[in-house]
Amino acid sequence: MSVTPDSTSDLSRRSLLQRAAAAGLLATPAAGLLAGCVSGGGDSGPKAEGEKSADNPLGVKEDAELEIVIFNGGLGSKYATDVHIPSYKKKFPKANVKFSETQEVGTVLQPRFTSNTPPDMVNNAGSKLMDQGALVQAGQVQDLTELFEAESLDQPGMKVKDTLIPGTIAQGTFNDKPYVLNYAFTVFGLWYDAALFEKNGWTAPKTWAEFTALCDKIKAAGITPYSYAGANAAYYQYLVMLTSAAKIGGPDVLKNIDNLEDGAWQADAVKQAAEAWAEIGAKYGNKAHLGLKHTEVQLQHNQGKVAFYPSGSWLENEQAKDTPPGFKYAVMPTPSVTGADKLPQTAVYAAAGEMYFVAAKGKNPRGGMEYLRHMLSKEGAKGFTQLTKVLTVVKGAVDGLEISPGLTSSNAMLTAAGSDYFAYRFDTWYKKLDDEARSATNELMFRGGTAQKFCDRMQKAADAVKKDSSIEKFKR
């Protein structure tokens, strides 16, 4: 599979995903986080280093212990234990790889970053992730330039950077330096059961009029037409809402939001998108879902109680144990809101996501970068996709693979989009804005909020971040 870069060649996001996230120290304000991150003074001690060579371009010490922490969420952790760790151990058999997994990355790792005793490589994701921008600002994250300049593990003569989908490195770049590997190439859209649609003669809508007309039919059939989980998955919803905004006004709508431009959240395109989605929430949602977690609403989706569900392409794998026989995952782009949208209906939010970073103050940062090199090998990427049903940022890694219905559908959607894909970065740069967007979105969708109130609330939050001198600013 090949992916065409967007016009600005600067993919962004979550998060899956989003998904698609921010290395966070929970809801701690950035200033407090920075004080905690650097309060221990200096590094944790001498760094493990070996001799650099053609076979060992990053200078890994062959018997140095490597500690990694993986978020155990929608992607699971078997890709690490069954693919990437064995690959690393094969090359460095004397090295002990210390592995652990968690669903609360920030809770578990905050004390370790505060004391400058972090693990070497971290998968920063989940609802309790860490504030990635603040970690970069605090000097806790390793510059990955050497990794991307190194030769690929299994594509001789090619640098790692040349094996990646365009935009990958930019997605994890903070003020011109690459600090984060966003590994999973996630496609976002509205997910549905193709078998249910075929049974009822329903067709995936392309316009907003078709969307609401179908929602009326679905509601008449006794099914909730559209929903998401308010307890921890509101970013799924604000993501599709901002996708609509980008389609209405063009991708610069999102770029202006990222860059904290004056009035960016008050743009007409954002208001129009918020108005359209507020109507969906009021007429076709389920207010009882405000207090539910993502897996609870996803289970109702699998049970045929919810028709459309917004999410990223990790969804199929996350629900594998609960998906009944005959359920056929499919995904569609958000419908066009107006007849004059600047981007076509086929345009999608798609980006490198699922953040992995090396701790600058870990004991073995060279081993951490090497571990990422194994993830970015063609075999490492292929194994990841086979186990997770999610694409990676490694070009051609799915060639020849027999893939699942959901992955087939998302791949087809991405192909149809061509060069019309885009993303934002404010959620990983400024956790305060991500938190506020989740809360404001729930108010809009579940509590009868208005588009103007949403825009006012988000603009106020963005202005506060812009004026806060303790928060480092990033631009694209």
Side-chain angles (χ1 to χ4, degrees):
M1 188 201 93
S2 62
V3 179
T4 308
D6 64 8
S7 59
T8 56
S9 194
D10 60 358
L11 286 178
S12 62
R13 164 71 130 179
R14 179 82 90 212
S15 233
L16 303 128
L17 162 249
Q18 216 277 33
R19 263 40 267 327
L25 295 158
L26 308 171
T28 309
L33 165 60
L34 295 181
C37 281
V38 299
S39 62
D43 291 349
S44 57
K47 301 293 185 288
E49 291 194 33
E51 292 292 326
K52 290 186 179 181
S53 66
D55 191 50
N56 185 12
L58 295 173
V60 178
K61 191 172 186 293
E62 63 177 15
D63 60 351
E65 182 174 85
L66 175 70
E67 183 182 4
I68 65 169
V69 178
I70 300 292
F71 169 66
N72 185 8
L75 300 176
S77 59
K78 284 181 68 65
Y79 68 88
T81 58
D82 294 11
V83 179
H84 301 144
I85 291 175
S87 177
Y88 186 93
K89 285 284 292 180
K90 182 178 179 181
K91 188 166 184 64
F92 300 100
K94 295 179 181 179
N96 175 49
V97 178
K98 184 178 179 181
F99 165 80
S100 62
E101 59 185 45
T102 179
Q103 293 185 341
E104 298 188 357
V105 176
T107 303
V108 172
L109 295 184
Q110 176 176 356
R112 297 190 59 184
F113 278 94
T114 300
S115 62
N116 290 326
T117 58
D120 300 304
M121 197 289 297
V122 177
N123 169 206
N124 186 36
S127 61
K128 293 187 177 180
L129 41 71
M130 297 182 288
D131 185 336
Q132 192 72 55
L135 285 173
V136 170
Q137 184 178 349
Q140 293 281 354
V141 186
Q142 177 75 25
D143 182 341
L144 299 180
T145 298
E146 279 191 78
L147 164 67
F148 294 125
E149 290 293 333
E151 185 174 77
S152 166
L153 185 70
D154 58 2
Q155 298 188 65
M158 293 186 70
K159 292 183 177 181
V160 170
K161 67 179 183 181
D162 296 325
T163 68
L164 307 180
I165 289 171
T168 297
I169 296 174
Q171 174 65 22
T173 294
F174 294 73
N175 288 343
D176 300 325
K177 287 188 178 182
Y179 287 104
V180 178
L181 168 63
N182 290 275
Y183 183 62
F185 193 82
T186 308
V187 181
F188 294 85
L190 305 185
W191 291 81
Y192 61 96
D193 176 9
L196 175 67
F197 274 48
E198 290 165 9
K199 177 183 175 182
N200 289 281
W202 298 335
T203 303
K206 295 182 178 181
T207 68
W208 208 257
E210 291 172 353
F211 185 37
T212 55
L214 179 55
C215 284
D216 285 331
K217 292 180 181 179
I218 293 169
K219 189 173 182 179
I223 299 170
T224 298
Y226 181 91
S227 196
Y228 71 94
N232 67 342
Y235 76 91
Y236 296 0
Q237 176 55 36
Y238 82 62
L239 187 152
V240 296
M241 189 158 63
L242 290 180
T243 295
S244 292
K247 288 187 179 184
I248 294 169
D252 278 354
V253 169
L254 304 185
K255 187 174 183 179
N256 291 339
I257 286 174
D258 286 346
N259 291 343
L260 302 175
E261 298 290 350
D262 292 342
W265 286 95
Q266 298 284 6
D268 287 342
V270 178
K271 290 179 184 177
Q272 289 181 58
E275 286 173 356
W277 282 106
E279 180 183 11
I280 298 299
K283 290 185 177 180
Y284 306 114
N286 186 334
K287 287 183 169 49
H289 292 171
L290 173 61
L292 297 187
K293 294 181 179 180
H294 65 297
T295 49
E296 294 173 312
V297 179
Q298 287 165 194
L299 179 60
Q300 291 191 28
H301 187 225
N302 290 144
Q303 294 170 341
K305 298 177 181 178
V306 173
F308 286 111
Y309 180 76
S311 189
S313 47
W314 64 79
L315 177 64
E316 184 179 31
N317 184 68
E318 187 169 55
Q319 290 301 109
K321 293 180 181 178
D322 293 314
T323 304
F327 189 101
K328 187 178 179 182
Y329 270 110
V331 64
M332 56 167 271
T334 57
S336 297
V337 176
T338 78
D341 286 3
K342 289 189 177 180
L343 292 178
Q345 187 269 336
T346 52
V348 295
Y349 186 111
E354 197 72 14
M355 298 186 295
Y356 298 79
F357 74 93
V358 175
K361 298 184 180 183
K363 293 181 179 179
N364 190 8
R366 296 204 165 273
M369 287 192 289
E370 176 70 15
Y371 184 87
L372 296 182
R373 192 167 77 106
H374 285 252
M375 289 178 63
L376 292 171
S377 68
K378 209 165 187 180
E379 282 302 303
K382 179 179 178 181
F384 176 90
T385 297
Q386 287 175 314
L387 287 173
T388 66
K389 302 181 180 67
V390 172
L391 300 169
T392 72
V393 295
V394 179
K395 291 185 289 190
V398 297
D399 291 350
L401 275 185
E402 189 173 324
I403 54 180
S404 63
L407 183 52
T408 299
S409 181
S410 59
N411 196 20
M413 185 173 71
L414 187 61
T415 299
S419 61
D420 293 318
Y421 64 80
F422 49 82
Y424 51 75
R425 299 191 205 173
F426 76 88
D427 60 326
T428 56
W429 286 353
Y430 311 113
K431 191 172 187 297
K432 283 185 176 181
L433 281 189
D434 175 54
D435 290 342
E436 188 70 3
R438 294 182 189 219
S439 179
T441 297
N442 278 346
E443 181 181 37
L444 180 73
M445 297 295 290
F446 288 113
R447 296 195 176 108
T450 67
Q452 187 61 59
K453 187 173 181 180
F454 172 86
C455 292
D456 289 346
R457 183 174 174 179
M458 289 309 303
Q459 191 61 59
K460 182 178 179 181
D463 290 345
V465 169
K466 186 174 184 177
K467 293 174 183 175
D468 190 339
S469 60
S470 72
I471 301 175
E472 185 175 3
K473 309 306 187 295
F474 305 104
K475 278 194 175 289
R476 69 177 176 100

